[in-house]
Amino acid sequence: MKADIGVTGLAVMGANLARNFARNGYTVALHNRSRARTDALVAEHGNEGTFIPTETLTQLVENLAVPRRVLIMVKAGQPVDDVIDQLVPMLAPGDIVIDAGNSHYEDTRRREAALAAKDLHFVGIGVSGGEEGALNGPAIMPGGPKESYEALGPLLEDISAHYEGDPCCAWIGTDGAGHFVKMVHNGIEYADMQVIGEAYDLLRSVGGIEPADQAGIFRSWNSTDLASYLIEITAEVLGHVDAQTGKPLVDVIVDQAGQKGTGRWTAISGLDLGSPIGAIAESVFARSLSSQSEIRATAQQMLAAGTGSVPAPQDADRDAFVEDVRLALYASKLVSYAQGLDMLTAAAAEYGWSLDLGTIASLWRDGCIIRADLLDVIMKAFGGRDTSRHPEPGTTAEGQPSNLLFAPEFRDAIAAALPAWRRVVATAVAAGVPVPVFSSALSYYDGLRRDRLPAALTQGLRDYFGAHTYRRADREGTFHTLWSGDRSEIEA
Ligand code: 6PG
C-alpha cells in the first residue's frame, strides 16, 4: 500500500495536518527528524485513519504513490531548504513538494524556480487557522504551478474549511503567490487585532468600562456587521478572570506584543511595492512600541500628557460612545482590508500573478484567523469566486472595484460611520489614548478623497534642494525652477 501524501515535520501543525488528511480518508506517510513524535502521533491518533510511519526521508519517499506528494511543515527559513535538499535527489519529474509553513514568498519563488529546473513541482501553501484549523479545516492558499493543483488541489480542498459548501482553498497564482497572500492575511490579522485593542483601550480609558462588561459588549458586537472570529474570542479573553489573583486576565498579562515576522514582512513588502498600507504597518509598529519596555518606563516619568480632562461619558452618553467606537472599529477594519487587497493588486502587477480578489476573499470566509461575515460581502463586491480556479459556479472578475472602499455597500457603510469615526479619533487624541490604526486609517481615507494634497509642496521642496523637477497641473512636461538664479522656470 502506498500513501497519498507524506508529511515531514510533526510538531503540532504538521501532526494536525497529517491527522486531517487521514480523517478525510487519505493514507498518510509520516516522518519526523526524531522518531518519537511519529510514534506518539500513531499511538495517540492511529485510529483516526491510515498512517504509514517511517524512519527516514528515503523511507517516506519510497512509501508514496506517484506523483509523490511530500508536505513539509518545518520552521520557515533554512530548515525548509535543508529538507528540500535531501528530498530532491529522491524524487522524479512530476512529483510535488509542498511547503505549508509561513515561508517568505521570495524564498518560495526561489525554491519554485530551482525545482522547476528539475521538472519538480514546488508548491508554497499558506495555511491559516492555527492548531485547531490545521486539524479541523484551515483556510489554504496554494501557489505554485497551476498544473500541480490537479494532483494536489482535491486533497487540499478536502481538508480545508468549507463555507456554505465552498472549500476555503483554491489555486491562488504561480510560484510565491500563495505565501504572499498568506503574508497579507497576517498583515490584516495584525491590523484587525490592533483595532480591537484600540477599541478596548478607549472603552476602558475614556468610557470607564471594565473588561468583564466589555466582554458583553464585544459579544453583542459579534451579532453586528463586525461578526468575526477575532471579535468572538476578544469577548472570551476579556471575560476571563485570572485564577491566582481574581483580576481580569488581561490585567495580569504583560502589555508587550510578540511577533514572529509575517506582519513585518507585509509592511516591508508594502514599502517595496509603493502600496500605502499605513494601517497595517501601524499595527506592526504598535507591537514594536509596546515591546520597548525600558523607553516606555522612562517616558512615563519624563513625557508630559498635555491632555485636559476628558470627562468620561455618562449613562446615556455611554451607549452612544460605545456605538461610536464600534463604528470607528468597523471603518478602520475595512480600511485595513482595502489596503491589504490593494497591495495584492500591486503585487500581482509586480510578480505577474493573476490574483483574483473575489476568490481570495472567499477563502478567508472560514477556517482562518481573520474569518468574518464581512468577507462574504467583500467576496461578492469583487464578483465572487473565479470559476477557473474552482469548479463551483461563480461570476467573472470583470467590473471589480479598483479599491474596496469604492464598492457601493462599503462606500455607504463608511459614509454612515464617518461622523462617529471622526469623533472617536478626536476624543482619543484629546484624551491622550494612542489610536495608531484608527487614526492612520482615517488619514488614508481622507488622503484618498482629498482634491489637493500637500505632495505639491513636497515636490516644490525637492525641486528647490535637489532639482528633482516637478510636473505642472496645467500643462504637460517636466519642469524646474532656477531657485538660486532668477527663479524663472525651465522645461527639464
Ligand atoms: C494563522 C496565523 C498563524 C500565526 C501567526 C502569528 O493564520 O493561522 O496567522 O500563522 O498564529 O503567524 O503571528 P505572530 O506571532 O507574528 O503574531
Side-chain angles (χ1 to χ4, degrees):
M1 183 184 52
K2 297 282 188 190
D4 300 300
I5 190 159
V7 178
T8 179
L10 300 175
V12 66
M13 287 295 287
N16 283 359
L17 283 174
R19 291 171 60 196
N20 192 345
F21 281 117
R23 287 171 168 196
N24 276 281
Y26 295 106
T27 300
V28 186
L30 301 171
H31 171 260
N32 192 66
R33 217 168 30 159
S34 68
R35 175 73 196 240
R37 276 193 201 275
T38 313
D39 291 340
L41 198 163
V42 175
E44 286 165 40
H45 306 290
N47 59 349
E48 292 179 357
T50 311
F51 296 105
I52 305 178
T54 69
E55 184 89 32
T56 62
L57 270 179
T58 313
Q59 281 178 12
L60 181 85
V61 171
E62 282 168 0
N63 275 287
L64 297 176
V66 175
R68 297 172 189 84
R69 291 169 281 232
V70 188
L71 185 144
I72 304 172
M73 191 75 218
V74 299
K75 202 167 153 21
Q78 190 58 41
V80 178
D81 286 311
D82 293 345
V83 177
I84 292 172
D85 289 347
Q86 290 178 60
L87 276 174
V88 163
M90 308 174 198
L91 299 175
D95 287 350
I96 305 171
V97 177
I98 307 133
D99 173 16
N102 268 335
S103 289
H104 193 280
Y105 68 97
E106 288 288 15
D107 285 337
T108 306
R109 285 163 57 79
R110 169 177 59 75
R111 290 165 184 152
E112 200 271 336
L115 268 66
K118 298 180 189 318
D119 290 327
L120 298 173
H121 295 296
F122 183 76
V123 180
I125 65 172
V127 178
S128 177
E131 296 172 14
E132 208 190 300
L135 183 61
N136 298 317
I140 305 181
M141 295 146 256
K146 191 166 186 191
E147 335 52 292
S148 66
Y149 198 73
E150 276 168 39
L152 182 62
L155 282 78
L156 298 178
E157 292 187 8
D158 279 352
I159 67 156
S160 75
H162 285 67
Y163 181 91
E164 291 180 356
D166 283 341
C168 294
C169 173
W171 180 73
I172 295 278
T174 52
D175 58 72
H179 274 141
F180 189 92
V181 169
K182 171 64 188 355
M183 177 190 79
V184 173
H185 164 284
N186 280 27
I188 294 173
E189 175 185 306
Y190 274 50
D192 241 354
M193 283 193 273
Q194 177 63 25
V195 288
I196 287 173
E198 291 174 18
Y200 152 75
D201 198 3
L202 281 166
L203 291 180
R204 190 143 190 209
S205 311
V206 178
I209 307 172
E210 291 301 306
D213 292 333
Q214 286 206 35
I217 291 173
F218 276 93
R219 208 162 284 128
S220 71
W221 286 359
N222 207 32
S223 316
T224 68
D225 47 13
L226 279 180
S228 61
Y229 172 68
L230 284 169
I231 292 283
E232 180 191 324
I233 65 170
T234 299
E236 296 301 317
V237 174
L238 288 177
H240 190 71
V241 172
D242 174 48
Q244 291 171 44
T245 59
K247 293 181 183 169
L249 179 70
V250 72
D251 286 350
V252 180
I253 297 177
V254 173
D255 62 342
Q256 295 172 26
Q259 50 180 313
K260 293 201 197 74
T262 45
R264 182 166 49 84
W265 292 347
T266 313
I268 292 169
S269 293
L271 289 170
D272 285 342
L273 291 165
S275 268
I277 56 158
I280 292 173
E282 284 293 353
S283 66
V284 182
F285 291 137
R287 290 197 192 185
S288 308
L289 186 146
S290 77
S291 299
Q292 292 198 322
S293 50
E294 280 182 29
I295 293 181
R296 285 179 57 201
T298 309
Q300 281 160 46
Q301 309 294 322
M302 294 188 60
L303 302 185
T307 50
S309 66
V310 178
Q314 301 296 321
D315 305 328
D317 286 356
R318 208 175 79 155
D319 290 348
F321 179 67
V322 170
E323 178 60 7
D324 273 7
V325 172
R326 190 187 74 79
L327 289 166
L329 168 48
Y330 176 77
S332 306
K333 177 185 167 98
L334 210 52
V335 164
S336 64
Y337 278 72
Q339 292 182 352
L341 294 170
D342 188 47
M343 177 176 171
L344 292 180
T345 304
E350 175 72 20
Y351 298 111
W353 295 327
S354 62
L355 301 183
D356 181 71
L357 299 184
T359 300
I360 291 166
S362 80
L363 305 189
W364 293 344
R365 289 177 301 170
D366 207 351
C368 66
I369 303 296
I370 65 169
R371 60 187 182 260
D373 286 5
L374 182 64
L375 279 155
D376 193 49
V377 192
I378 294 179
M379 178 202 77
K380 287 176 181 140
F382 283 108
R385 284 169 89 110
D386 176 351
T387 48
S388 66
R389 288 157 207 269
H390 187 270
E392 294 297 314
T395 49
T396 67
E398 280 166 30
Q400 292 187 342
S402 50
N403 185 300
L404 179 64
L405 304 179
F406 300 160
E409 53 275 60
F410 295 129
R411 198 187 54 200
D412 295 348
I414 292 228
L418 209 44
W421 194 10
R422 294 196 190 286
R423 275 194 299 274
V424 167
V425 171
T427 302
V429 170
V433 177
V435 283
V437 176
F438 276 13
S439 56
S440 125
L442 182 53
S443 288
Y444 171 84
Y445 179 88
D446 283 332
L448 281 183
R449 48 164 287 284
R450 198 88 194 278
D451 58 343
R452 290 281 293 163
L453 289 170
L457 177 56
T458 305
Q459 287 297 81
L461 297 173
R462 292 177 70 239
D463 190 58
Y464 187 102
F465 65 68
H468 293 296
T469 73
Y470 51 85
R471 287 183 296 121
R472 295 183 60 103
D474 53 0
R475 64 198 151 92
E476 290 295 311
T478 308
F479 302 92
H480 169 56
T481 290
L482 300 168
W483 294 103
S484 45
D486 64 0
R487 301 207 164 182
S488 61
E489 184 180 74
I490 59 167
E491 193 144 4

